[in-house]
Amino acid sequence: MSFQPDFRTAKSLSIVEEIIEIIADETDDARQSAAFVKWLAFQKQFWKYSWNNVLLIAFQAKQYGFEVTKVAGATKWRDMGRKPTSEAWKERLWILAPVIRKIEDQTTGKEKSVLIGFTSAYVFDVSQTEGEELPSLEYRHTGDDEGLCDALEVEYDRRQIDLDYISEAEMIEEFGSACKGVSMGDKVRILDTLTGAECAATLAHELAHSILHFGPGNRLDFEHSRSTAEIEAESIAACVLGAWGLEYKASAMYLAGWGGDAVKVRESMNRIAHTSKSILSNILPAS
């Protein structure tokens, strides 16, 4: 959708539902794309670690001074076409791995697996490996923001939400990863390297979280799952960009990555439409 001089008006509110329908269908298309199928197969290869092991990994990585993203053992990394670097072996991360033994069930006579103990094992973060390029999802919004960032900043101020742009180092220090943005309800932090439409989309996404997903006392609302919250926030970002006359379909791959599909987007249509119009009604010119 290209920008039109007379497009950015209050009548843009009338296309919000249309944008939701489009982004819902685009999300289904994204889920069927070769890039997404490859990425999903890659994600399924990683073991889900226990909470104790997660803490162990995070503590050790912090001691070594790096951020953990994707973790696996040396054999698993080799299966994916990568291997730990020589330096990585000096900073390998140890976990408690379960020891499983197969025995015969005395009642049924069938073989079953039982936990008999734990042993130490070494794992490595993807940043400690080298080899084949890993599959990723591309959902960056590109191009100029056409003044949308300024308009959204005014909306943050109107809603008395504390907005600040911080460096990647500050983002990692405060939140544990170099994410684009974080909402804490009445406070939002945005990565200061974002520009143009990507910055506008992030501002709209985090604003949606602040409006929809925090209850009284600035407490996180656990009524909805994390995936539902992300689907709603990114769909709202798409609506805001689309109504402003900017390209918004990059959001579809992000929605797919959070388990979104046409059904889930439409299930939240009323919440998405209401919040999108609430934002747009304040930032769109009257005529």
Side-chain angles (χ1 to χ4, degrees):
M1 183 182 294
S2 59
F3 171 71
Q4 302 292 333
D6 63 344
F7 188 82
R8 208 183 299 154
T9 66
K11 62 186 178 185
S12 298
L13 291 173
S14 65
I15 68 168
V16 165
E17 282 82 3
E18 179 183 347
I19 294 173
I20 297 172
E21 291 288 351
I22 292 172
I23 204 67
D25 291 337
E26 289 285 333
T27 301
D28 273 356
D29 291 342
R31 289 175 65 87
Q32 296 170 22
S33 68
F36 181 80
V37 171
K38 184 178 180 181
W39 174 84
L40 189 61
F42 169 72
Q43 297 297 319
K44 288 180 177 179
Q45 296 186 68
F46 290 93
W47 182 263
K48 289 182 172 59
Y49 294 100
S50 68
W51 179 241
N52 286 337
N53 276 331
V54 169
L55 292 177
L56 273 174
I57 291 168
F59 176 77
Q60 293 169 89
K62 186 172 183 179
Q63 296 295 103
Y64 290 132
F66 66 85
E67 177 192 352
V68 174
T69 52
K70 292 291 183 184
V71 174
T75 300
K76 176 61 72 175
W77 281 123
R78 279 194 285 270
D79 291 342
M80 292 186 280
R82 298 181 68 84
K83 64 178 182 179
T85 64
S86 56
E87 281 296 313
W89 287 96
K90 300 175 184 178
E91 297 182 344
R92 56 191 184 272
L93 310 169
W94 71 271
I95 62 170
L96 290 173
V99 178
I100 306 295
R101 177 178 294 174
K102 292 186 180 295
I103 64 170
E104 182 180 308
D105 189 296
Q106 298 298 315
T107 303
T108 64
K110 295 181 180 180
E111 188 177 66
K112 67 177 183 179
S113 299
V114 295
L115 174 68
I116 62 172
F118 292 89
T119 186
S120 60
Y122 294 118
V123 294
F124 303 87
D125 184 67
V126 61
S127 63
Q128 298 177 288
T129 66
E130 58 188 3
E132 295 180 11
E133 186 175 351
L134 300 176
S136 60
L137 295 183
E138 182 55 57
Y139 51 83
R140 289 169 58 91
H141 293 271
T142 59
D144 192 78
D145 69 297
E146 302 286 359
L148 180 54
C149 286
D150 289 342
L152 286 170
E153 287 175 359
V154 172
E155 181 65 0
Y156 271 87
D157 186 59
R158 193 189 73 81
R159 293 178 183 266
Q160 298 183 316
I161 298 172
D162 178 36
L163 172 65
D164 195 15
Y165 295 89
I166 63 177
S167 68
E168 181 175 307
E170 290 174 309
M171 192 72 81
I172 294 172
E173 176 66 24
E174 192 168 351
F175 303 108
S177 65
C179 44
K180 292 182 181 180
V182 176
S183 170
M184 297 164 280
D186 61 0
K187 296 180 182 179
V188 167
R189 298 295 177 257
I190 303 292
L191 198 60
D192 63 7
T193 53
L194 301 183
T195 59
E198 185 178 19
C199 182
T202 306
L203 284 167
H205 180 107
E206 301 307 332
L207 178 59
H209 277 315
S210 290
I211 296 170
L212 267 185
H213 303 132
F214 288 84
N218 203 43
R219 295 179 180 176
L220 190 62
D221 182 3
F222 293 103
E223 181 181 349
H224 301 90
S225 67
R226 174 72 189 278
S227 62
T228 298
E230 292 300 327
I231 288 167
E232 291 179 344
E234 190 61 21
S235 296
I236 290 165
C239 288
V240 171
L241 264 66
W244 198 262
L246 304 178
E247 178 56 58
Y248 57 87
K249 293 182 181 179
S251 293
M253 194 63 82
Y254 183 94
L255 293 170
W258 276 99
D261 57 23
V263 172
K264 291 179 181 177
V265 172
R266 291 187 175 105
E267 282 177 348
S268 291
M269 178 175 274
N270 288 339
R271 286 165 59 83
I272 294 167
H274 177 79
T275 306
S276 298
K277 291 179 179 180
S278 173
I279 295 169
L280 288 164
S281 63
N282 293 316
I283 67 175
L284 289 169
S287 60

